[in-house]
Amino acid sequence: MLLYWILLPIVWVLMHIVYRVEVVGRSLIPRGRPIVIAPNHISDLDPVFILVVVFRFRRFRILAKQELFRNPFIGWFLRCMGAVPIDRGHGDVETVNKVTEDCKKGTGVLIFPEGTRSKDGKLGKLKSGAFVIAGQAGADLVPCRIIYDTPDHRMRPFCRMRICFGEPIPASDLRITDPRHQIKELRALRTRLTDDLEELYRQNSFEPAPLPAPEPNPGTEPGT
């Protein structure tokens, strides 16, 4: 825990030296109650960037793929930041239950619903883990969109980035009380979060807005 407080200020300084960071909608993140932040995923550094701009006195739990921990240094750093390895391919119920219990007690959770990084910056198909954890923990789910101002939408040194937070999906909307409707309700929640994340991109993209179509000349007949 002490290392977390040593590393976080160092990462904050390095982040603002190497990148030009804008944060949108930070005030929308609930305080004093369980939350799950659900961002898109482009770079391995995405969770660190989000933790720095959210800044909570308690470490978040970050669900990270097990493969990242194979490198001893990266694994050590991720654990210091609160990351928990999860075996994505084998239904790691034990880790999900542990993180859910932590969330119930007030620990924030960061989970990438795509499950893997996007290779082109576009949003991939969402999985259900974030909704299951938030629903069982009684947590609000906060959409988060990371946007890099580069031609290929990937992270590059000294690029501009925007970290955008949207209106939370309230815990009451995430609670599934009838298991018979679970598949249908999870599908609807995935669609809802996808729409929220795409809207965050439309509102905050670095790409210029399309020019409006020219108005027709009143004295000119259509087609002439």
Side-chain angles (χ1 to χ4, degrees), residues 29-36 56 103-108 134 137-141 168-172 175:
I29 302 174
R31 292 275 177 178
R33 58 172 292 103
I35 62 168
V36 173
R56 291 287 172 95
C103 190
K104 285 180 182 178
K105 298 172 184 175
T107 299
D140 295 339
L141 190 141
I169 300 175
S172 57
R175 194 174 297 113

Side-chain angles (χ1 to χ4, degrees), residues 106-183:
T107 299
V109 174
L110 176 61
I111 178 171
F112 295 95
E114 293 166 282
T116 189
R117 289 179 299 159
S118 168
K119 299 185 185 305
D120 57 8
K122 296 179 181 179
L123 189 67
K125 186 177 180 180
L126 305 188
K127 303 183 186 303
S128 299
F131 309 105
V132 172
I133 291 174
Q136 293 180 356
D140 295 339
L141 190 141
V142 182
C144 175
R145 189 77 190 239
I146 303 176
I147 306 170
Y148 294 104
D149 184 21
T150 56
D152 59 359
H153 306 290
R154 306 292 299 277
M155 184 195 71
R156 296 286 182 269
F158 307 107
C159 73
R160 289 193 299 168
M161 74 168 80
R162 286 186 181 137
I163 300 177
C164 311
F165 299 96
E167 288 283 351
I169 300 175
S172 57
D173 291 0
L174 298 164
R175 194 174 297 113
I176 299 174
T177 56
D178 189 343
R180 295 173 298 177
H181 300 155
Q182 184 176 30
I183 294 177

